[in-house]
Amino acid sequence: MKTLVKNGTIITSTNEFKADILIENEKISMIGNDLSVGCDKVIDAEGKYVLPGGVDNHSHFEALNTDGVTTNAGYDTTWVALKGGTTTIVDFCTNEPGMNLMDSVDYRLNVRSKGKLAPDMAMHACCTDYTEETLDEIPKLVEFGIPTMKLFLAYKPTPLYMDDYKLLKCLKKAGECGMTMMVHAENPDVLDVERNAMAEKGCLAPKYHYMTRPPYGEAEAVSRAIRFADATDCPLCVVHVSCIEAAQVIQEARAKGSLVIGETCPHYLVLDKHKMDDPDFDQACRWVCSPALRDKEDQEYLWKCLNHDWISIVGSDNSSIPLYQKHWGEEDFRAIPNGCPGAGDRLNALWTYGVEKGKITKQKLVDIYATLPAKLNGIFPQKGAIDIGSDGDLVIFDPEYKGTITVESNPTGIEYNVFEGMEQIGRADTVLLRGEVVVENGEYLDKPVFGRFVPGKPYGLAYELKK
Ligand SMILES: [Zn+2]
């Protein structure tokens, strides 16, 4: 199967040029001008940009709630990522109840996602049930192709919570085998003190969620994790950085040579906390995620961080929680499951509110949405690049498109989209996954299930910071 993409303007993380791209047997085989070879399919990209397919460093599909039974939307909804220009998701594998991590990975790949996955998928392990065996599993995960693991420094007293003892033990082991440790950084005691005090006063509406997750609680946990990572020489990725205080900790650490990579998310770049002020619970609950949405000034600072490479990656933190589950917290904001959908809106948000507003360049967009996340996960240059030998994952992007985001135009797999009503400029017009057209005229073609597991190599992006 040979597919030729003609006349497009190619954008990479460092360049912009007009050329044709030939994809043969799933891989890019030629890049050049006026390629004319016998092809099965020719796509004319005149007037459009050609970007590498997006790599989403942070998605949760069919993630278990803390009850270990109910989940957010499953892998049968992963096509929303493809429609929005993401051809590889990096999904989290938590411990299945009673299972170690390796068995949980097997269960997620061969049971939960089997026959449902639309984009390709790499994986982060996510320890949610630490035992002494966990440390022995770290090299096994790396060998299997999972060179990253996330630890929750919040959510005390659930089994998700990792105290300093566990964090330190995992960092020591991970640093020895080329694994990058990731942290959800919020100080759990700060949260408990603030949340319980608010609840005791009878303040139980969704808006109290953001009032009780203060930036200092996030910054403290980021700072502690970096100090531990420095001491153990283990590279770190701080996921979903939401505020100025936490970003500044990373900025200072990088200036001092710490091996730390920051990630933020579209909702922290374009939405603010006042969404949760809506007196209608059914509206306000949709924006409850952790860390909480912050202020306009935080958004501006995060864009600045991306430009200075103080924060290097934009992941969606997609967690499509249906409204009936959000309503579990109708009487008490502490019971609202945390998470926002967004797997399909990462590219749209970065283009409309970044490139179009002059906040980032097109090259920067490609870097933070595809290239650097691929490097962090050890799947570059197979993913995240337009190069000879890379997978034929391309987004043919129409910069002329103008629309308003609705859940119909930008589906999430559930009843709502947190960017509903916002302006959108540009969209993924055609998307190719390993040379196969999966999105055409902005619509997902509903192919038979097509995604594959992509094993990652150890010693990813954060190790490159070592001098
Ligand atoms: Zn997450």
Side-chain angles (χ1 to χ4, degrees), residues 58-60 92 150 152 184 239-240 263 290 317-319:
H58 198 148
S59 76
H60 302 276
F92 286 89
K150 184 170 80 168
F152 286 101
H184 172 131
V239 298
H240 52 48
E263 176 209 70
S290 299
D317 200 1
N318 178 83
S319 181

Side-chain angles (χ1 to χ4, degrees), residues 113-295:
S113 65
K114 183 116 190 142
K116 296 177 183 167
L117 192 64
D120 280 353
M121 175 169 74
M123 210 171 250
H124 305 297
C126 181
C127 181
T128 53
D129 183 17
Y130 181 93
T131 65
E132 283 309 313
E133 190 193 0
T134 304
L135 301 176
D136 298 330
E137 287 205 281
I138 286 177
K140 291 179 193 159
L141 288 161
V142 171
E143 198 173 323
F144 186 78
I146 303 182
T148 48
M149 180 155 90
K150 184 170 80 168
L151 302 176
F152 286 101
L153 309 187
Y155 301 120
K156 198 175 178 177
T158 71
L160 276 64
Y161 167 63
M162 297 291 134
D163 61 22
D164 290 347
Y165 176 90
K166 295 171 185 171
L167 169 63
L168 199 49
K169 293 281 266 189
C170 287
L171 283 168
K172 277 183 188 251
K173 191 71 184 186
E176 291 167 9
C177 16
M179 179 181 264
T180 302
M181 194 57 69
M182 307 169 84
V183 285
H184 172 131
E186 286 185 288
N187 181 306
D189 295 314
V190 169
L191 301 182
D192 276 354
V193 168
E194 302 290 348
R195 285 151 66 84
N196 296 339
M198 200 61 92
E200 276 161 27
K201 284 191 283 180
C203 300
L204 297 166
K207 66 182 174 189
Y208 298 109
H209 173 76
Y210 72 73
M211 294 183 194
T212 56
R213 295 188 101 91
Y216 83 89
E218 185 180 342
E220 187 284 325
V222 171
S223 153
R224 178 162 35 98
I226 292 176
R227 199 164 277 262
F228 282 19
D230 284 347
T232 52
D233 207 24
C234 178
L236 190 70
C237 172
V238 181
V239 298
H240 52 48
V241 176
S242 73
C243 60
I244 296 171
E245 289 87 336
Q248 282 175 339
V249 174
I250 295 173
Q251 180 182 337
E252 284 160 20
R254 282 178 66 98
K256 285 189 216 145
S258 296
L259 310 177
V260 57
I261 303 286
E263 176 209 70
T264 189
C265 313
H267 43 283
Y268 300 121
L269 289 164
V270 307
L271 299 174
D272 73 71
K273 64 190 187 187
H274 296 293
K275 288 281 183 193
M276 281 169 272
D277 293 343
D278 198 313
D280 179 2
F281 177 88
D282 188 67
Q283 285 295 323
C285 67
R286 302 171 188 208
W287 289 277
V288 170
C289 62
S290 299
L293 298 181
R294 308 294 188 187
D295 288 299

